[in-house]
Each structure stands twice: as structure tokens, then as C-alpha cells.
Amino acid sequence: MSMCSVVLKNVSFRYMNQKDFALKNVNLHIKENEFVLILGESGSGKSTLGYLICGLAPNLIPGKVRGEILIDGIDVNSLNKRELIQKVNMLLQDPDAQLTYLTVEDELKFPMENVGVDEEEIKLRTDYLLKKFDLSKLRDTYVFNLSYGQKQRTCIASILALDPKIIILDEPLSHQDEVARKRIIDFLKEMKGKRTIIVMEHRAHALLKLCDRVVVLEKGCVKLNCSVNEALKVGIANNFNLNDLTKIFPKRSRFMRSRKAILVVRDLWFTYDGRNYILAGVNFKLNKGDLAFIIGPNGAGKSTLGMVLSGMLSPHKGTILVNGINIGSRKVNRGICYVPQNPDLVFLHDTLYEDVLNSALKSMDLKRGRKFTRELIKAFNLWHLRNNDPHSLSRGERVRAAIAIMSALKPRVLIADEPFSGQDKRNIIAIMNCLNYLRERYGITIIIITHEADLAKSIGDKVFLMKNGKLYGEITCTS
């Protein structure tokens, strides 16, 4: 009988300053070299489970833990940091929270040096992993200049460089384009049977046939723990399938759009270093109320375009017209708001209500601002959380909160950067409903940057492909 790599006995966990337990009486045995897929809606406790297994909680993430967690028969909290990271390592959902060093190569090399890997082995592992995850050309790139998808692949390569016996990957496909997703899945196929692999992922269809066992969490409890065949029989594939989203959302005809051009971009160029252009002559036009999608591979320049349009970055050259007015290099009153991939960057106050109200007061008096704030928060189904610290919300709630805060500024154009990444089906529907509400109620033009190409081509009024800094003509469903 195979030895158990991971054992949880009656484990419960409550985050500091939280009333409810995130995990409740969890019992789980994971065998050595087993591949386990952890499923569940956002907020079900999947990430928390990973934090406990790898020792992040309660050591670095404070909270109260009950029960026993064993790694190879040893209490996880009795292992020192060096022993622990060589036994188990975890990919976090947010790569910015995990990146520590200056360049991509440094992220792989320095952790190995810290645990005493010899110089020749460090070079072999680094070269192999950089090539495996399509990072070789980026090895000397500063990590803060990477796309989110490239950052995530750098984090995956970094934890694998330490060669841990147990690998935990929290939403490893969430920020990746289709090519990169296939690359990661192919690597997991190679690793299967050689390491204990625990993956938390909303894209069940991509990994179900690859894993050995499925565990479903619901409200912090283990609802299902079974083989893949048993999971398929009870319909797990359908419950956690993101491929059928195109059947859920309203088609284009539901919304009345204007023929009036609200955003015109001409010959837009941008470079970070003065040599390599991230944007290389971007041209496009959107009308009032349009729902536009920008798709394309990691590192194509999608997020950079959003930041340039919103004034976070200044273009090298080009023209941006909003409602016929050349906004030039102005950084305020542009009429364009950008919701970044990391929604936490938007939160400035202690409560969600304060954040939304503060945005509203930029363009209206206190009485109207309070009314507008109440309307937005209720429309986004966040009213019951209005007095909460927005950082404490779930990922799906934080994305909706960030959209509410930016839309309270009453922009003509709202850009949402990867709002669906790391989201379950329920939250994707909720976020899309919020964006459609802004179109229908206020005529706001919406630009969504995403890797969900099928969804984009199904419901978008306009879909653009971005590659190598260029925005190619509108993509139709057939093309």
C-alpha cells in the first residue's frame, strides 16, 4: 500500500478577525505521487487548504487552526522553513505576492542557492525550466515588466526548481493563453506519478482526465472525495465546466448601441525601455455602449494598452480621442477607467462603501454621491458587504468591488483586465451581469481583456486580436 504524503485529521481553520471557519473538520489522505484535483466554488476553502498543507497558515497567514496536518508522517508545523520548502511548495493565485527577486532568472536561481543546490545543478535546472515554460527569452527581464501570465509561469518554474516532493498549484491556468495552458498541462502529464500533485482549478474539464482523484469542497467542508470515474458519473464535469458560458449570457441584440464613436485610437506607440515597443501602431474605434473584447497571447501588450488608454502610462506617440476630444497625455478627467488584474490595487479605504463613495464624490455632491453609491453597490450585489474591508472579500467579490469603485467615477469607457481569471462559473456570470448593467443603465462602453476567446467571440460586439504589440482587425466567430 502506498504511503500517504499528506494527511489532514479533523482540520479546521479560521482567519484572524473572521467570525466563520474557512475550513471545517476536513479529513483527507493523499497518497505518495497521487494527482488530486480540488474543486469548489470561490470561497469554498480550496486556497486555505493549500496554505495549511504548505505551512503558510498559520505561520505567515495568521489564524486559528485545529486538528493535525502531517507531511510524510511529520507534523507540518514542526518542520523548519528549509525542510518544508523542499518537501512541499505552492503556487499562489496572485503571482505578485510570490515574486521576490529582480529578474526571471533570479527567481529560479536564488531559492536553489539558499537551500544549498550546487552551481552546476542550478544551471541545469534553470535552463530546463526556462525552456519548459517558454521563459528563455525573458530570463534577464525584470519581473515587474512581465505580463501576468508570464509572472505566473515564472512562479511555477521557481517552485519546481526546488524539486519538492509535493507540488500545490492554485489556479495554474487562470492567467494563461491557450498555448501556455497546454504547455502547463503537458508538463503535469510528465510529472504525474513522479510527484504528489495537488491542483485547485476552476477549469475541471482541462484536468479531470489527467488526475487520479477528485475532492470537492463546499463551504469549507469536503462534499465529495472520489475517483475520476465516480466524479464523472455524478456530473462533476458539468458542474465545473466553463466551456458552456457562451450559452448563458445575452446575445448582442439585447443592448441598444449608439453609432456615435466614443473612443478612437490612432497610431498608438509605447515602450518601457526606449527600444522595444510594447504597442506598435495600435488603431481601433468603439461606439457608445459597445462591448469589446481584446484577446491574445501572454505578453502581447493587452494590459499595457489598457494602462496607456487610462493614463497610467504615457504613450510615445499617437492619438486618443474620447467623445471627439483629444485627451493627449492628460492623466485626469480622461473619461477612461482601468480595472487592473489585481483588484486590490483599487482599494484605498477601510470599507467598500467608503471606496465607492469617494469615487462618486469626484463628480457629484454628497447627497447625490450617497444615492449613487447605494445604487451601484446594490446593483453589484455587494450591499451586505458594504462595511467590510474590501481586501477581506473573496476574489469574485473583490473584482466586482473594483469595477463598482471605478464605475462610480462615471467614465465613458471602462476597461476590465482579466476579470474572469481564477473565477468560478457563478462569479463569471455575476461579473458579466455587472458590466452589462453599466452598459444598459449608463451607456458605458466596456472593454474586456481576456483569454476567454470563445466567450468573447460569442457575446462581444467587437473582438480584437492583439499580438506583438499590434491590434488586428475585428475577429468574427468564424475567423
Side-chain angles (χ1 to χ4, degrees):
M1 184 176 178
S2 297
M3 176 182 176
C4 284
S5 282
V6 180
V7 176
L8 285 84
K9 298 179 181 178
N10 299 315
V11 172
S12 298
F13 182 78
R14 183 179 66 200
Y15 289 98
M16 182 178 285
N17 300 323
Q18 294 295 312
K19 178 181 177 182
D20 299 322
F21 277 84
L23 288 178
K24 306 165 190 172
N25 299 317
V26 171
N27 289 280
L28 190 61
H29 292 66
I30 299 176
K31 298 176 184 177
E32 185 176 13
N33 297 337
E34 188 176 21
F35 188 149
V36 177
L37 178 61
I38 310 290
L39 300 176
E41 292 187 346
S42 296
S44 61
K46 302 187 300 300
S47 297
T48 304
L49 180 65
Y51 299 155
L52 289 169
I53 294 172
C54 74
L56 277 176
N59 297 315
L60 295 178
I61 302 174
K64 183 176 182 179
V65 61
R66 296 174 181 169
E68 192 174 14
I69 305 164
L70 305 177
I71 303 294
D72 290 339
I74 304 170
D75 189 316
V76 67
N77 293 310
S78 69
L79 296 166
N80 63 46
K81 185 177 179 181
R82 181 168 176 167
E83 292 173 323
L84 191 58
I85 62 174
Q86 290 179 290
K87 282 185 175 290
V88 55
N89 217 323
M90 179 177 177
L91 171 74
L92 306 180
Q93 278 193 44
D94 178 12
D96 284 331
Q98 195 155 7
L99 294 169
T100 307
Y101 300 97
L102 193 61
T103 69
V104 172
E105 185 175 42
D106 291 344
E107 283 291 337
L108 276 66
K109 290 174 64 176
F110 284 132
M112 288 189 281
E113 291 178 359
N114 291 338
V115 298
V117 179
D118 69 71
E119 190 173 335
E120 185 177 349
E121 180 65 18
I122 287 174
K123 185 179 186 310
L124 287 173
R125 291 188 196 179
T126 299
D127 290 345
Y128 170 74
L129 289 167
L130 289 175
K131 182 178 180 181
K132 202 69 180 174
F133 292 99
D134 194 26
L135 297 168
S136 296
K137 294 180 180 178
L138 300 169
R139 67 188 306 150
D140 297 321
T141 302
Y142 293 138
V143 293
F144 47 78
N145 283 338
L146 299 174
S147 74
Y148 233 59
Q150 291 165 342
K151 288 178 180 179
Q152 189 178 45
R153 295 204 304 280
T154 300
C155 290
I156 295 173
S158 178
I159 67 172
L160 292 173
L162 292 169
D163 197 25
K165 294 177 63 178
I166 302 164
I167 301 165
I168 305 173
L169 303 177
D170 196 355
E171 300 289 345
L173 308 179
S174 60
H175 300 294
Q176 304 301 323
D177 58 43
E178 288 300 327
V179 174
R181 285 173 187 166
K182 185 179 185 304
R183 188 182 292 270
I184 292 170
I185 291 170
D186 286 345
F187 186 77
L188 289 174
K189 289 178 182 177
E190 292 179 25
M191 295 293 291
K192 183 178 179 181
K194 301 175 184 176
R195 294 288 184 273
T196 303
I197 302 172
I198 304 169
V199 178
M200 297 81 166
E201 180 59 61
H202 289 302
R203 297 176 175 279
H205 61 282
L207 296 170
L208 263 176
K209 294 181 180 179
L210 181 58
C211 67
D212 299 310
R213 190 150 53 97
V214 176
V215 174
V216 178
L217 295 181
E218 186 176 281
K219 297 180 180 178
C221 300
V222 176
K223 182 183 179 183
L224 187 69
N225 183 357
C226 64
S227 69
V228 175
N229 287 336
E230 290 174 298
L232 291 171
K233 286 179 183 177
V234 297
I236 288 298
N238 294 327
N239 294 343
F240 297 96
N241 180 15
L242 299 185
N243 285 344
D244 63 355
L245 286 169
T246 56
K247 303 173 185 176
I248 296 171
F249 295 117
K251 299 299 180 182
R252 306 170 183 83
S253 57
R254 174 178 167 181
F255 298 97
M256 296 297 294
R257 296 180 291 123
S258 169
R259 294 184 178 180
K260 178 183 178 182
I262 197 70
L263 175 64
V264 178
V265 177
R266 297 176 185 151
D267 196 29
L268 197 63
W269 292 73
F270 176 81
T271 174
Y272 285 103
D273 58 12
R275 300 186 306 274
N276 303 303
Y277 280 94
I278 308 301
L279 303 181
V282 171
N283 296 277
F284 70 101
K285 181 182 78 170
L286 294 177
N287 295 335
K288 181 178 180 181
D290 272 344
L291 173 62
F293 287 83
I294 299 177
I295 61 175
N298 296 128
K302 303 184 298 296
S303 297
T304 300
L305 176 60
M307 289 187 280
V308 170
L309 292 175
S310 63
M312 295 175 66
L313 298 172
S314 297
H316 178 71
K317 66 175 181 177
T319 302
I320 304 172
L321 301 174
V322 176
N323 202 31
I325 299 173
N326 188 347
I327 59 176
S329 60
R330 282 188 292 163
K331 295 184 180 296
V332 294
N333 298 323
R334 297 173 66 89
I336 304 175
C337 286
Y338 173 76
V339 181
Q341 291 189 48
N342 183 358
D344 292 350
L345 298 176
V346 174
F347 307 140
L348 301 175
H349 297 84
D350 293 335
T351 69
L352 170 60
Y353 185 88
E354 289 177 282
D355 266 326
V356 179
L357 179 61
N358 187 67
S359 291
L361 293 179
K362 297 284 195 299
S363 62
M364 58 189 75
D365 59 36
L366 182 60
K367 183 177 180 180
R368 290 173 58 220
R370 285 174 173 168
K371 182 179 179 182
F372 186 47
T373 297
R374 183 169 58 252
E375 176 190 334
L376 271 180
I377 296 177
K378 285 186 174 181
F380 284 27
N381 196 25
L382 294 168
W383 185 248
H384 61 296
L385 301 170
R386 64 191 181 279
N387 294 320
N388 288 35
D389 180 347
H391 293 95
S392 72
L393 306 181
S394 73
R395 164 82 182 172
E397 290 163 347
R398 295 203 311 277
V399 171
R400 299 205 311 274
I403 294 171
I405 291 164
M406 300 310 288
S407 59
L409 293 167
K410 304 196 89 171
R412 296 180 184 274
V413 179
L414 182 75
I415 305 169
D417 196 349
E418 293 288 357
F420 309 137
S421 65
Q423 304 288 355
D424 58 26
K425 185 188 297 185
R426 177 175 56 87
N427 275 318
I428 291 176
I429 293 170
I431 292 166
M432 198 63 229
N433 286 340
C434 291
L435 294 171
N436 279 331
Y437 169 84
L438 295 175
R439 296 172 64 206
E440 192 171 28
R441 174 80 169 167
Y442 301 107
I444 295 176
T445 298
I446 304 293
I447 300 175
I448 298 176
I449 298 169
T450 185
H451 291 302
E452 307 299 332
D454 290 337
L455 177 62
K457 289 180 280 187
S458 174
I459 68 172
D461 300 314
K462 295 180 179 179
V463 183
F464 300 95
L465 172 66
M466 192 156 203
K467 191 173 183 181
N468 298 325
K470 295 184 180 294
L471 199 65
Y472 292 92
E474 294 176 34
I475 308 299
T476 64
C477 290
T478 52
S479 64

